[in-house]
Amino acid sequence: MNALPLLSLVIWVPIAGGVAVLAAGRRDALARWLALGFAAATLLLSLPLYTGFDPAVRGMQFVEDHAWIEAFNIRYHLGVDGISMLLILLTTYSTLLVVVAGWDSVRYRVSQYMGAFLIMEGLMIGVFAALDAALFYVFWEAMLIPMFLIIGIWGGERRVYSAIKFFLYTFLGSVFLLVAILYLYFQSDSFEILDYHRLALTQTEQILLFFAFLLAFAVKVPMWPVHTWLPDAHVEAPTGGSVILAAIMLKLGAYGFVRFLLPIVPDAASQLDWVVIALSLIAIVYIALVALVQEDMKKLIAYSSIAHMGFATLGFFLVFSIFERTGSLEGAALGFEGAVVQLISHGFISGALFLCVGVLYDRLHTRRIADYGGIAKPMPIFATLLVLFAMGNVGLPGTSGFVGEFMVVLSAFRADFWIAFVAATTLVLGAAYTLWLVKRVVFGTAPSERVARLPDVNLREGMVLGSLAVLVLLVGVWPDPVVDVLHGSVENLLQHVVRSKLPGA
Amino acid sequence: MEAVASMAFQVPDMTPALPEIFVLTMACIILVVDVFLPERRRALTYLLSLATLAGAGILTLALHEAEPRVTFGGSFVADTMADVLKVFIYLVVATVFVYSRRYLAERGLFRGEFFTLGLFAVLGMMVMVSARSLLTLYLGLELLSLSLYAMVALQRDSARAAEAAMKYFVLGALASGILLYGMSVLYGVAGTLDLAELGAQLSGPAARDPALVYATVFVLVGLGFKLGAVPFHMWVPDIYHGSATAVTVFIGTAPKMAGFALLIRLLAEGMQGLHVHWGQLLIVLAVLSMAVGNVVAIAQRNLKRMLAYSAIAHAGYLLLGIVTGSAEGYAASMFYVIVYAIMSLGAFGMILLLSRQGFEADHLEDFKGLNERSPWLAFIMAVLMFSMAGIPPFLGFWAKFTVLQAVVRAELVWLAVVGVVFAIVGAYYYLRVVKLMYFDRPQGSAPLPAGGEARFLVSVNGLAVLLLGIYPTGLMALCAGSFAAGG
């Protein structure tokens, strides 16, 4: 199909770039420009994935398949469908923003900072592109290392605690994924994820695997009650770390549900979907209430992320009850696509909000909401952008946040009125904590002379935030380019999800 | 008289044992040469020792054949497993010698005894991995152990080293005694010392003899002591901590591979028929080792002690593969032990490299802010720590991966779950080292020692852990090949 091994390139170019940037040592300027060059090159390399993507094809595209570890039949097998392709684009784009956003604000060990982000970019793309479970796991775990270092080296006061908590928490989840993968290998003699989609498993096996997967991915998403690492990690991470955490890392958990849990153990998932739906609803309502009382801007946005990710998991797990009630895949697909759109949109919006906090933090070195006020006057451009992103977070029509939430709520009505009812409260609660934040930060009177004289965004910051604003609005008013590439892939996936995997079925 | 005539002496085929004979000869020559060397020429002993290991490596590779070659009346075998392990033992010991050189010189320990004892220990290990009878096995084990006791005691003006040597000797002798007792019961039941014959006997009706359960217990207690598996692990931290670091790195690396061979020769070849008994007991040892090793390591402030507890935990993972009683599991354990030796070599090598005259870099605090002082060495150490914790893409991950895979395949999923849960506990103390190096600021501003060839070799060691982790196929195939044809 394609002469160039595009997926390998978008994985290895940033990793090689990261090594090159590390080699720059203490030459900070060189490190910055190298990092920018590699991040931009990776973004450019990833664009043909979209333009060359054929939405009519049901299976994986841009496939590469080579033997890797013969002893266990582990293969270097890459490929993308519509879902992972979009997430890869989100990754390449976010990393470029992070490099630009950290241009001046990072002064300590610049080359290591930039290098860590580039290496992490390659590893995260590897997770999205891997079609071999062992390869997936290698990327999945390896990516913890750069993030651990980013939080621990460039983080805030409690960075050590947060970094170790982040690492151990996510490691806890993923080792169960390892056991699950090994068990599937034992059953099928293959590490191909797509082979697992066709593997017959008894109900008991499925339920045990379901909980292993759930633990692995729920920690990453994160879902209530295993979410407590996220606010700590976010608050202490440097701005770039928060952006990558919110925009990409959380999506990995959701992606794991899509690639592993739903198609491999559908019978257990349809029996136990209420567990995930209940946890998602708790995240949507309870975590939103928690967000309401936060005094730290980053913490508030972190909790809001958990609530929004609850929407995505809700959309994924509603498919069973919708399919049961309506018997058509179409209704289920709507919620599923909505969840994917929600992932992309949340990537833009949460990334943008964390960048906004970063802009403020660079100026005043505090994240406490009470330290700000009335910044609309000294920083009009910034205030406009912040309000726009806040509206996106609320899910106002015309922003990307609306599209995903609306699709999920709409399909929730086909499943159960009360689920839809509870889910829809997010529109109220989300508005409450977001708008209250905006009110306290943007409007009112400045609490101090320094706040009243804050300089507005500079060109670099304006470009970063502006480009995100354009995307938020673009996907909001014209979601077709995103949704169209999803149809085929989601339909194909749902075929596997609704087919029983019980032996003899 | 007829009996004597029928047992006319036949000269055995010496070729399979040529590497052993070469090492023995060279060790004796070096012993003599060293006596006549003036102090400033001591480096010659060092170079001769390295040359001996290189020569043994060449001999082993040149003589290697796919088919096992048995000689000395069936008491000695050179098969693929033995050859692979021997080559890794030479490599590891040679690296230990290079790492230790400056450290020994700065402490007045750069003497011929260290190298000759080291070579005799190597010889002991070689005999162990090639043993095909209970007697040879024990002979090799004792040669190794006695050399190690003496090496620990080499630092004779250090009270701590003397105490460690005493402890090591007493407990080691006790363990050897227990092991020997178990072996004698085996001999009593089966009437043979030959491991292959023993294996055949114990697969037959003789396996139901209740005395064998008794023998199994004694053998396992002895093996548990030698391996440092819980609850027979108490000596490990004291010996690791008390010995000079150059000796610790010796004890903590190559003998682990010989210990693995001991397990395989004894349990897999001699007592495969008793797998029902020893499999169950080993599960207990494995779980306890993983639990105690990983949990207690958290409380350590001394890096050598921490690595000692980590060695106990790794012994637990190593046992997981053997527990399965399958060729696949044995191959997984072999891969694990080689990987562990490589990682542990690097970690101790780093302590040796950072130590200076009158200063041991064996406290965790000494690694504070290493990233500020030398980003490269911090990176290498981080690679080693993440690898020991079992995080991909490093080699240590594949080691855990292969043993867990074997355990799952033996339908012991619960045991795999226990293994990964303790791996999380273990990750904490490895991460703490990374935290100290990267998140904290350095304490002193003393310049790092130059390092020279040791620095280069530590870098190669760390990079090997990374690169072999990205492409572990070759090493895995070597281990699988050792057990492909049933031995």
Side-chain angles (χ1 to χ4, degrees):
Chain A
M1 196 173 354
N2 244 297
L4 272 178
L6 266 182
L7 285 173
S8 280
L9 280 175
V10 290
I11 292 172
W12 295 103
V13 164
I15 292 180
V19 174
V21 171
L22 283 178
R26 303 216 180 238
R27 283 161 290 183
D28 291 353
L30 176 67
R32 287 192 185 105
W33 284 106
L34 265 179
L36 182 67
F38 277 104
T42 312
L43 177 60
L44 287 179
L45 280 171
S46 68
L47 289 179
L49 291 178
Y50 184 85
T51 52
F53 189 84
D54 184 354
V57 174
R58 284 302 171 87
M60 294 295 166
Q61 306 188 31
F62 303 101
V63 175
E64 293 168 41
D65 193 4
H66 308 282
W68 181 26
I69 298 173
E70 279 107 357
F72 296 107
N73 197 14
I74 297 174
R75 307 189 64 78
Y76 179 76
H77 190 179
L78 304 175
V80 286
D81 61 4
I83 304 167
S84 42
M85 187 268 293
L86 287 175
L87 289 168
I88 288 177
L89 287 184
L90 183 66
T91 311
T92 55
Y93 182 63
S94 307
T95 305
L96 182 64
L97 292 186
V98 165
V99 168
V100 178
W103 200 262
D104 291 330
S105 50
V106 174
R107 305 227 168 259
Y108 178 73
R109 295 256 152 192
V110 177
S111 65
Q112 291 187 351
Y113 179 86
M114 298 290 182
F117 274 107
L118 284 174
I119 291 174
M120 194 156 61
E121 175 184 15
L123 297 173
M124 289 187 300
I125 294 172
V127 173
F128 290 128
L131 290 181
D132 182 287
L135 184 66
F136 177 94
Y137 188 79
V138 167
F139 283 126
W140 172 270
E141 284 277 279
M143 126 195 120
L144 296 182
I145 297 174
M147 198 61 192
F148 171 71
L149 294 175
I150 286 167
I151 298 174
I153 301 180
W154 294 276
E157 293 130 40
R158 292 173 72 229
R159 60 206 162 88
V160 174
Y161 167 82
S162 304
I164 291 185
K165 186 173 179 183
F166 158 78
F167 194 100
L168 291 181
Y169 233 115
T170 40
F171 191 44
L172 169 79
S174 35
V175 292
F176 288 97
L177 175 64
L178 178 63
V179 177
I181 291 174
L182 288 174
Y183 187 77
L184 287 168
Y185 171 64
F186 167 51
Q187 292 295 333
S188 68
D189 264 320
S190 159
F191 276 109
E192 293 288 318
I193 297 175
L194 299 181
D195 286 352
Y196 296 164
H197 290 188
R198 286 184 289 271
L199 187 65
L201 293 163
T202 66
Q203 186 72 359
T204 327
E205 285 175 324
Q206 288 203 22
I207 287 175
L208 289 173
L209 287 170
F210 174 87
F211 282 111
F213 285 137
L214 181 64
L215 193 60
F217 300 128
V219 168
K220 205 82 160 194
V221 166
M223 296 173 73
W224 185 88
V226 285
H227 65 280
T228 62
W229 63 270
L230 184 84
D232 282 315
H234 264 311
V235 170
E236 298 305 329
T239 303
S242 296
V243 172
I244 292 295
L245 260 176
I248 321 290
M249 276 220 167
L250 306 192
K251 310 307 178 281
L252 291 164
Y255 178 74
F257 282 126
V258 173
R259 190 62 79 223
F260 280 89
L261 197 152
L262 290 171
I264 296 177
V265 292
D267 302 285
S270 86
Q271 188 189 338
L272 294 165
D273 62 346
W274 58 271
V275 175
V276 181
I277 291 175
L279 293 180
S280 304
L281 290 177
I282 291 175
I284 290 171
V285 177
Y286 166 73
I287 297 294
L289 291 173
V290 173
L292 206 52
V293 299
Q294 296 307 315
E295 290 173 349
D296 182 308
M297 286 192 278
K298 263 188 158 177
K299 242 184 178 152
L300 190 149
I301 303 169
Y303 279 111
S304 129
S305 287
I306 303 172
H308 281 95
M309 291 304 289
F311 249 94
T313 47
L314 182 67
F316 290 140
F317 279 84
L318 278 177
V319 291
F320 298 105
S321 34
I322 298 173
F323 186 69
E324 223 168 83
R325 280 185 52 161
T326 62
S328 88
L329 274 181
E330 211 176 303
L334 178 70
F336 206 93
E337 282 167 19
V340 178
V341 174
Q342 169 79 356
L343 294 183
I344 305 287
S345 144
H346 178 255
F348 295 147
I349 294 169
S350 67
L353 286 172
F354 278 117
L355 286 168
C356 287
V357 176
V359 167
L360 289 176
Y361 185 79
D362 286 345
R363 285 164 174 64
L364 221 53
H365 291 282
T366 168
R367 295 180 307 258
R368 275 166 42 85
I369 298 171
D371 291 339
Y372 293 93
I375 61 165
K377 214 169 278 166
M379 305 175 75
I381 305 175
F382 176 77
T384 314
L385 290 165
L386 180 60
V387 170
L388 173 74
F389 295 130
M391 290 308 154
N393 205 37
V394 172
L396 195 76
T399 64
S400 64
F402 172 74
V403 182
E405 288 188 12
F406 184 70
M407 285 163 84
V408 173
V409 173
L410 201 61
S411 72
F413 272 109
R414 300 193 198 179
D416 187 286
F417 170 76
W418 290 106
I419 292 178
F421 177 79
V422 177
T425 56
T426 189
L427 299 171
V428 182
L429 290 170
Y433 62 73
T434 313
L435 294 182
W436 196 29
L437 170 76
V438 167
K439 184 224 150 220
R440 285 181 290 174
V441 172
V442 177
F443 304 111
T445 51
S448 68
E449 198 46 24
R450 281 186 69 197
V451 176
R453 283 190 285 114
L454 284 177
D456 207 342
V457 284
N458 59 29
L459 183 64
R460 182 176 56 80
E461 293 161 340
M463 269 179 3
V464 169
L465 293 176
S467 70
L468 279 169
V470 171
L471 282 171
V472 167
L473 289 174
L474 196 67
V475 176
V477 294
W478 189 42
D480 285 359
V482 173
V483 179
D484 282 349
V485 294
L486 287 176
H487 288 318
S489 308
V490 167
E491 232 169 84
N492 184 40
L493 195 78
L494 287 181
Q495 298 280 342
H496 283 288
V497 174
V498 296
R499 191 184 307 145
S500 171
K501 298 285 152 50
L502 294 174
Chain B
M1 282 299 121
E2 286 92 21
V4 173
S6 68
M7 285 173 68
F9 183 70
Q10 279 186 323
V11 178
D13 179 12
M14 298 277 184
T15 35
L18 267 185
E20 281 79 1
I21 296 170
F22 174 73
V23 171
L24 174 64
T25 318
M26 284 303 287
C28 293
I29 293 175
I30 292 170
L31 193 60
V32 175
V33 169
D34 184 66
V35 174
F36 293 101
L37 276 182
E39 196 54 46
R40 61 199 159 76
R41 291 276 165 78
R42 198 63 68 204
L44 187 61
T45 311
Y46 164 77
L47 292 175
L48 275 176
S49 309
L50 288 182
T52 307
L53 292 169
I58 293 167
L59 274 175
T60 306
L61 290 177
L63 294 171
H64 174 73
E65 281 170 32
E67 286 302 305
R69 288 148 298 143
V70 179
T71 183
F72 294 121
S75 62
F76 185 95
V77 63
D79 53 10
T80 309
M81 181 188 93
D83 287 345
V84 171
L85 284 177
K86 276 180 203 169
V87 169
F88 276 101
I89 287 172
Y90 308 144
L91 266 177
V92 167
V93 172
T95 317
V96 169
F97 285 170
V98 177
Y99 285 171
S100 319
R101 183 183 178 180
R102 190 179 52 86
Y103 179 92
L104 291 170
E106 283 171 359
R107 280 155 190 77
L109 292 170
F110 192 64
R111 296 196 300 259
E113 289 89 336
F114 180 83
F115 298 101
T116 37
L117 283 172
L119 287 180
F120 279 115
V122 168
L123 182 62
M125 293 187 253
M126 293 165 74
V127 172
M128 270 167 90
V129 297
S130 270
R132 202 170 159 279
S133 105
L134 293 177
L135 213 52
T136 335
L137 204 56
Y138 187 73
L139 213 62
L141 178 64
E142 282 306 279
L143 182 54
L144 167 66
S145 306
L146 288 168
S147 309
L148 291 183
Y149 306 148
M151 281 174 93
V152 175
L154 210 53
Q155 203 178 13
R156 51 172 184 252
D157 38 4
S158 155
R160 210 192 269 155
E163 183 196 326
M166 201 62 203
K167 252 185 213 164
Y168 196 16
F169 177 70
V170 172
L171 287 175
L174 181 70
S176 298
I178 293 173
L179 181 64
L180 196 58
Y181 183 64
M183 286 179 174
S184 65
V185 176
L186 283 180
Y187 177 68
V189 174
T192 175
L193 288 173
D194 187 287
L195 282 170
E197 262 178 57
L198 188 68
Q201 290 251 353
L202 296 187
S203 324
R208 278 197 288 275
D209 194 323
L212 286 174
V213 182
Y214 187 69
T216 309
V217 171
F218 276 93
V219 166
L220 279 190
V221 171
L223 290 177
F225 261 113
K226 293 290 175 196
L227 273 179
V230 180
F232 313 111
H233 65 287
M234 275 77 92
W235 60 274
V236 181
D238 287 345
I239 309 309
Y240 273 46
H241 187 191
S243 314
T245 311
V247 178
T248 312
V249 53
F250 196 101
I251 297 177
T253 51
K256 302 285 173 195
M257 294 192 264
F260 162 78
L262 179 68
L263 278 174
I264 290 296
R265 297 290 183 209
L266 205 50
L267 297 181
E269 289 178 13
M271 299 163 69
Q272 183 71 37
L274 301 177
H275 175 241
V276 254
H277 300 309
W278 57 256
Q280 303 283 322
L281 289 170
L282 275 189
I283 290 183
V284 178
L285 292 190
V287 170
L288 284 177
S289 300
M290 292 187 292
V292 173
N294 278 326
V295 172
V296 180
I298 293 175
Q300 305 308 316
R301 307 219 74 44
N302 181 294
L303 188 58
K304 271 157 83 180
R305 276 192 103 78
M306 191 196 97
L307 287 174
Y309 281 102
S310 131
I312 295 169
H314 281 288
Y317 289 98
L318 166 69
L319 289 177
L320 285 186
I322 300 193
V323 159
T324 62
S326 63
E328 195 179 21
Y330 299 149
S333 281
M334 181 170 168
F335 182 69
Y336 197 98
V337 79
I338 292 175
V339 169
Y340 173 72
I342 297 174
M343 298 187 302
S344 150
L345 184 66
F348 282 113
M350 193 62 80
I351 302 180
L352 286 173
L353 188 60
L354 297 180
S355 298
R356 300 185 297 276
Q357 184 101 45
F359 171 74
E360 305 272 333
D362 64 349
H363 280 273
L364 283 172
E365 306 295 312
D366 301 331
F367 281 79
K368 264 193 175 174
L370 188 60
N371 185 38
E372 288 278 299
R373 298 160 69 196
S374 168
W376 177 247
L377 290 183
F379 165 74
I380 295 289
M381 188 65 177
V383 166
L384 292 165
M385 287 297 116
F386 280 123
S387 176
M388 282 207 174
I391 314 285
F394 306 113
L395 195 48
F397 164 71
W398 294 110
K400 290 225 163 64
F401 182 92
T402 48
V403 290
L404 290 175
Q405 192 274 129
V407 168
V408 170
R409 191 151 284 241
E411 312 225 9
L412 292 166
V413 179
W414 69 270
L415 194 56
V417 172
V418 172
V420 295
V421 167
F422 285 115
I424 303 166
V425 178
Y428 173 73
Y429 59 86
Y430 297 118
L431 282 184
R432 200 172 50 185
V433 177
V434 177
K435 172 237 159 199
L436 287 169
M437 293 190 302
Y438 281 89
F439 306 169
D440 291 351
R441 300 286 174 262
Q443 274 184 325
S445 54
L448 289 174
E453 75 272 21
R455 184 188 161 103
F456 173 74
L457 219 52
V458 167
S459 308
V460 171
N461 196 330
L463 288 180
V465 168
L466 172 61
L467 296 177
L468 283 174
I470 293 172
Y471 200 72
T473 306
L475 192 52
M476 279 182 184
L478 272 183
C479 298
S482 300
F483 293 92

